[in-house]
């Protein structure tokens, strides 16, 4: 084995240190540029639309007059959509994750299902919109309703919730299951009383973060034919609807400066809703962790 001279070793070590520092500087520069662009965008939106964010803007319906236009119909439509998508995706997603982690055998079929779920999480959202248009709007004859939109968004976020729930269930120590079996519990009793409570913080965090993505989606709802001008609030699951992203998209297409200001105000409201949902994910996670530790 050849011995590297001391001078050559120190030279090589110095070169590697400089390469590491250069890479660190590039990573830091990328972070600064990304955060700087985000800060500029947020400041621009805030300066342009903050003056329009008031109670009247939140409680008024869309109007052809920019100074009277509001987001009540869009805000309520988004709440309806998120409620439907959250209930459906939570039940189906957690159920699928429990089956794959606790009941399914580790065979080729299970591996194929896992790979396809991971691939579905990366499918463009417009594809889910086309799928929802064919299945829910046309085949099931639900029309351009809140239910059709909510089910489409549920399909969109379902792979994300399944993956998050699988990771949370997988993180529960196997010794908890074995201890419950030793005490005479059935598999379902062990899952319901021990595994799910331990995994619930991770599951709820994944669900709320997935819903945060769903509330900002526009392409699937446009594919469904969601209306851009709805001067009334949804009165049921089969009612026509609009949503915040669609209303913002409609205002940004108008040439008047007042509608551009209204669009900026709608973006601010949407950002506030997203921040509230993300804060709720942190609070729910901490609360479930305290309960499981207690």
């Amino acid at each position: 084995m050849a011995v590297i001279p001391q001078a050559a070793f120190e030279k090589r070590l110095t070169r590697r240190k400089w390469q590491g520092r250069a890479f660190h500087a590039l990573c830091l520069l990328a972070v600064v540029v990304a955060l700087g662009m985000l800060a500029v965008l947020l400041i621009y939106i805030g300066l342009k639309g903050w003056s329009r964010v008031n109670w009247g803007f939140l409680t008024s319906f869309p109007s052809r007059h920019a100074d009277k236009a509001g987001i009540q119909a869009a805000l309520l439509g988004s709440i309806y959509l998120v409620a439907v998508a959250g209930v459906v995706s939570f039940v189906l997603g957690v159920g699928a994750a429990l089956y794959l982690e606790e009941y399914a055998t580790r065979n080729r079929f299970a591996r194929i299902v896992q790979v396809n779920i991971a691939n579905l999480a990366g499918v463009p959202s417009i594809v889910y919109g086309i799928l929802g248009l064919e299945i829910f709007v046309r085949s099931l004859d639900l029309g351009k309703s809140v239910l059709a939109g909510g089910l489409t968004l549920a399909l969109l976020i379902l792979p994300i919730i399944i993956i998050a729930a699988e990771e949370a269930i997988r993180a529960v120590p196997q010794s908890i299951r074995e201890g419950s079996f030793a005490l005479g519990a059935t598999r379902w009793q062990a899952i319901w009383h021990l595994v799910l409570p331990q995994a619930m913080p991770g599951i709820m965090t994944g669900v709320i973060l997935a819903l945060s993505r769903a509330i900002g989606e526009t392409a699937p709802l446009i594919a469904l034919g969601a209306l851009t001008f709805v001067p009334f609030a949804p009165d049921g699951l089969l009612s026509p609807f609009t949503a915040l992203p669609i209303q913002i998209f409609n205002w940004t297409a108008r040439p008047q400066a007042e509608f551009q200001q209204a669009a900026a105000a709608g973006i601010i409201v949407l950002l506030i809703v997203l921040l509230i949902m993300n804060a709720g994910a942190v609070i729910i996670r901490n609360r479930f962790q305290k309960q499981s530790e207690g």
Side-chain angles (χ1 to χ4, degrees):
M1 182 176 179
V3 179
I4 301 176
Q6 181 69 21
F9 175 77
E10 292 179 354
K11 184 178 180 180
R12 185 179 300 179
L13 183 61
T14 302
R15 185 173 64 252
R16 290 183 177 180
K17 287 182 178 179
W18 278 107
Q19 289 175 348
R21 291 172 182 173
F23 181 74
H24 179 266
L26 288 175
C27 293
L28 183 60
L29 178 62
V31 173
V32 170
V33 170
L35 293 180
M37 294 177 63
L38 179 61
V40 171
L41 180 61
L42 292 177
I43 292 172
Y44 173 77
I45 294 297
L47 293 176
K48 191 172 184 179
W50 184 254
S51 60
R52 282 295 309 273
V53 180
N54 51 47
W55 185 249
F57 181 72
L58 297 176
T59 57
S60 299
F61 291 104
S63 173
R64 291 180 177 87
H65 304 284
D67 57 338
K68 298 179 181 179
I71 59 170
Q72 181 179 355
L75 184 59
L76 292 176
S78 293
I79 293 174
Y80 271 75
L81 289 174
V82 170
V84 174
V87 172
V88 174
S89 60
F90 178 82
V91 174
L92 295 180
V94 176
L98 283 175
Y99 172 78
L100 292 173
E101 287 298 321
E102 300 293 335
Y103 291 98
T105 56
R106 305 299 180 185
N107 52 20
R108 185 177 181 182
F109 173 77
R111 290 194 298 270
I112 293 175
V113 171
Q114 295 278 4
V115 171
N116 280 277
I117 290 174
N119 290 334
L120 287 174
V123 172
S125 58
I126 186 63
V127 176
Y128 288 98
I130 297 172
L131 181 64
L133 175 65
E134 181 61 33
I135 296 178
F136 304 124
V137 176
R138 295 176 179 174
S139 299
L140 298 181
D141 198 22
L142 295 178
K144 302 171 183 178
S145 62
V146 172
L147 184 58
L151 291 175
T152 301
L153 293 182
L155 289 180
L156 172 65
I157 63 177
L158 188 59
I160 303 174
I161 293 178
I162 293 176
I163 293 173
E166 282 184 307
E167 294 295 332
I169 294 170
R170 195 178 299 131
V172 178
Q174 185 64 27
S175 58
I176 294 179
R177 301 174 179 83
E178 294 173 353
S180 63
F181 295 154
L183 294 174
T186 62
R187 181 180 293 274
W188 171 245
Q189 288 174 332
I191 293 172
W192 181 257
H193 294 286
L194 296 173
V195 175
L196 271 181
Q198 292 285 333
M200 195 55 67
I203 293 175
M204 293 304 300
T205 301
V207 169
I208 295 178
L209 294 179
L211 291 176
S212 297
R213 176 193 174 184
I215 199 174
E217 287 290 346
T218 307
L221 301 181
I222 293 178
L224 286 178
L227 303 177
T228 57
F229 183 81
V230 179
F232 54 85
D235 57 0
L237 295 180
L238 297 179
S239 174
F241 72 98
T242 188
L244 275 174
I246 293 180
Q247 186 63 70
I248 294 169
F249 172 78
N250 184 31
W251 281 337
T252 55
R254 305 273 184 107
Q256 296 88 343
E258 292 80 4
F259 280 113
Q260 301 295 323
Q261 187 180 14
I267 293 173
I268 293 174
V269 174
L270 183 58
L271 288 175
I272 292 174
V273 172
L274 290 175
L275 289 175
I276 292 174
M277 293 181 67
N278 292 336
V282 175
I283 293 172
I284 292 174
R285 181 183 182 89
N286 293 338
R287 179 169 298 180
F288 274 105
Q289 281 182 341
K290 290 180 181 178
Q291 291 179 356
S292 61
E293 292 174 357

